Amino acid sequence: MKLLITGGAGFIGSHVVRLFVTKYPEYQIYNLDKLTYAGNLANLADIEDAPNYTFVKGDITDAKFLEDMFAEIPFDGVIHLAAESHVDRSITDPMSFVLTNVVGTVNLLNAAKNSWQNSETAGGAHAFEGKRFYHVSTDEVYGSLHNPDEFFLETTSYDPQSPYSASKAASDHFVRAYGNTYKMPVVLSNCSNNYGPNHFPEKLIPLMIHNIQTNKPLPVYGKGENVRDWLFVVDHARAIDTVFHKGVLGETYNIGGFNEWKNIDLVHLLCATMDRKLGRPEGTSAQLITYVTDRAGHDLRYAIDANKIMTELGWEPSLQFEEGLEKTVDWFLANQEWLDNVTSGAYQTYYKGMYTNR
Ligand SMILES: Cc1cn([C@H]2C[C@H](O)[C@@H](COP(=O)(O)OP(=O)(O)O[C@H]3O[C@H](CO)[C@@H](O)[C@H](O)[C@H]3O)O2)c(=O)[nH]c1=O
């Protein structure tokens, strides 16, 4: 099995690459990553010398590069994670999300389709036999929930609200369209918010950990009433392994932890955890909480119904949230150099003056 994983130097991608490289020594894993600001080969330092691992630097918006790579390496499967992923960035720069998430995905679909069809022309088995194109997506495509009894199901209509979620919804539609039109063997999953080691500190949990450590304000958007459903990143990687190997072609699987938190409650939990870990008096970090201008078009609540993947494929989360959060905080405290590296340079420029106090 020659398996292409795109975006493997990013947060979720690096956990997926590590899992596949270590669990499947008989597979050849190719990690294709552009190494944007959020891609970091340091995330994979522990497996970079593995004999079944190859890193390829490249850009999915470059169709010719992808065609050439697929002509050179006969991939059997693709797990596509490469994406621009931060909602706030999509508000200031929507076009980069269209390019990477929509155009990049269609380029990748074309490259896989053309090379798999060529292998049939060359006298091989049926073009798509034994092949699989897996698109890893987000629950944000479903929009925002307002009724506390509602959950996102695989059958929930798409209603993306941000440029980011609109770009992911479009890429999901393209993947399904290629399954329908060309009979490509596709499978998809839509996951809730992830957290864990190597999380880039533009996202809520690592940003708060970093700011608590450095005594900076903790910017809570709006009133902090928005709800997110959090899943430990290693459990998401395990779910991706399950869907890739057992998922039924043409199907979509929602992935989540049944673990909803209001942002403000989560920030208080993080403050208490950090006070304890850093030996600070109780209540110290909470004083840094600062309510700031709300995110434009801020989705109120995401909540995933993960029953389909649990009952049909037998996946379930392995960690309770409090345990996962402890592990995450411990990882960030033990990996100061990683955090210092990713929060220097362009990070400083981006975050300067980004938050307005209310
Ligand atoms: C960065 C930041 C965020 N927030 C709020 C906004 C959200 O309600 C919540 C989580 O924000 P973020 O960490 O940016 O994550 P969110 O917008 O939910 O999106 C994440 O989760 C999605 C899955 O639901 C993924 O598809 C996205 O790629 C990922 O970024 O915290 C704050 O209050 N303050 C902050 O500084």
Side-chain angles (χ1 to χ4, degrees):
M1 158 82 82
K2 288 192 191 304
L3 175 60
L4 176 67
I5 299 180
T6 69
F11 166 50
I12 301 171
S14 61
H15 287 276
V16 174
V17 167
R18 175 176 300 100
L19 180 68
F20 275 75
V21 165
T22 51
K23 187 171 172 187
Y24 302 106
E26 71 279 20
Y27 291 6
Q28 283 299 321
I29 309 295
Y30 295 81
N31 169 15
L32 169 65
D33 201 293
K34 186 186 175 184
L35 298 182
T36 62
Y37 76 96
N40 186 352
L41 288 178
N43 295 350
L44 291 164
D46 55 325
I47 57 110
E48 67 187 2
D49 294 328
N52 63 336
Y53 172 71
T54 306
F55 172 69
V56 182
K57 187 171 186 311
D59 185 349
I60 57 170
T61 66
D62 183 344
K64 168 86 170 57
F65 162 79
L66 289 178
E67 294 288 343
D68 290 349
M69 185 179 62
F70 272 80
E72 195 180 317
I73 308 166
F75 293 115
D76 302 295
V78 177
I79 302 182
H80 177 35
L81 293 114
E84 290 292 339
S85 71
H86 193 44
V87 174
D88 294 326
R89 286 181 190 259
S90 82
I91 294 168
T92 51
D93 180 18
M95 190 52 80
S96 64
F97 286 67
V98 175
L99 290 176
T100 301
N101 300 357
V102 187
V103 176
T105 300
V106 177
N107 282 339
L108 198 61
L109 284 162
N110 282 337
K113 175 173 80 65
N114 294 343
S115 92
W116 290 342
Q117 284 175 335
N118 283 342
S119 71
E120 181 180 56
T121 318
H126 178 268
F128 297 139
E129 203 175 304
K131 307 287 196 281
R132 183 163 280 233
F133 188 104
Y134 177 8
H135 187 225
V136 177
S137 190
T138 170
D139 62 357
E140 297 199 15
V141 297
Y142 298 121
S144 182
L145 293 168
H146 292 271
N147 172 352
D149 302 332
E150 270 181 333
F151 287 85
F152 296 137
L153 288 161
E154 287 79 358
T155 49
T156 302
S157 300
Y158 274 30
D159 188 20
Q161 300 292 316
S162 72
Y164 162 68
S165 52
S167 71
K168 290 298 288 187
S171 60
D172 284 2
H173 287 319
F174 269 105
V175 172
R176 292 198 183 97
Y178 272 58
N180 178 60
T181 309
Y182 308 109
K183 308 299 168 218
M184 262 181 88
V186 300
V187 65
L188 297 90
S189 62
N190 296 79
C191 189
S192 66
N193 287 61
N194 281 210
Y195 69 97
N198 303 113
H199 205 177
F200 192 82
E202 65 186 351
K203 306 285 166 70
L204 181 72
I205 289 181
L207 179 80
M208 295 295 161
I209 293 175
H210 176 57
N211 286 12
I212 292 170
Q213 252 190 315
T214 49
N215 279 310
K216 292 203 188 98
L218 308 181
V220 173
Y221 297 169
K223 295 186 176 137
E225 297 284 313
N226 305 68
V227 174
R228 296 293 182 265
D229 172 357
W230 294 94
L231 181 70
F232 192 59
V233 63
V234 175
D235 279 329
H236 187 194
R238 289 175 47 252
I240 288 172
D241 177 20
T242 304
V243 172
F244 183 71
H245 288 102
K246 296 197 210 159
V248 176
L249 290 177
E251 289 291 313
T252 295
Y253 298 88
N254 280 354
I255 305 169
F258 288 109
N259 176 43
E260 290 179 54
W261 284 79
K262 256 187 201 167
N263 291 339
I264 189 64
D265 295 341
L266 174 50
V267 172
H268 275 290
L269 176 63
L270 271 172
C271 288
T273 309
M274 290 292 284
D275 283 346
R276 179 162 44 80
K277 300 268 178 198
L278 297 172
R280 293 178 182 171
E282 213 180 303
T284 308
S285 301
Q287 288 168 18
L288 296 168
I289 293 174
T290 308
Y291 291 95
V292 299
T293 307
D294 207 355
R295 174 183 279 172
H298 198 170
D299 287 340
L300 180 64
R301 172 175 167 253
Y302 306 142
I304 280 276
D305 182 333
N307 273 309
K308 179 175 172 183
I309 185 172
M310 288 168 131
T311 54
E312 293 183 13
L313 304 185
W315 169 87
E316 58 180 41
S318 67
L319 275 191
Q320 292 296 316
F321 186 55
E322 283 75 3
E323 196 186 344
L325 209 62
E326 289 274 328
K327 269 182 184 258
T328 303
V329 168
D330 287 345
W331 185 87
F332 276 97
L333 294 179
N335 287 274
Q336 195 57 55
E337 200 184 330
W338 183 93
L339 198 55
D340 289 345
N341 283 340
V342 300
T343 54
S344 60
Y347 181 92
Q348 297 291 348
T349 318
Y350 183 72
Y351 283 95
K352 207 167 158 204
M354 179 160 164
Y355 304 110
T356 326
N357 279 16
R358 279 196 306 151

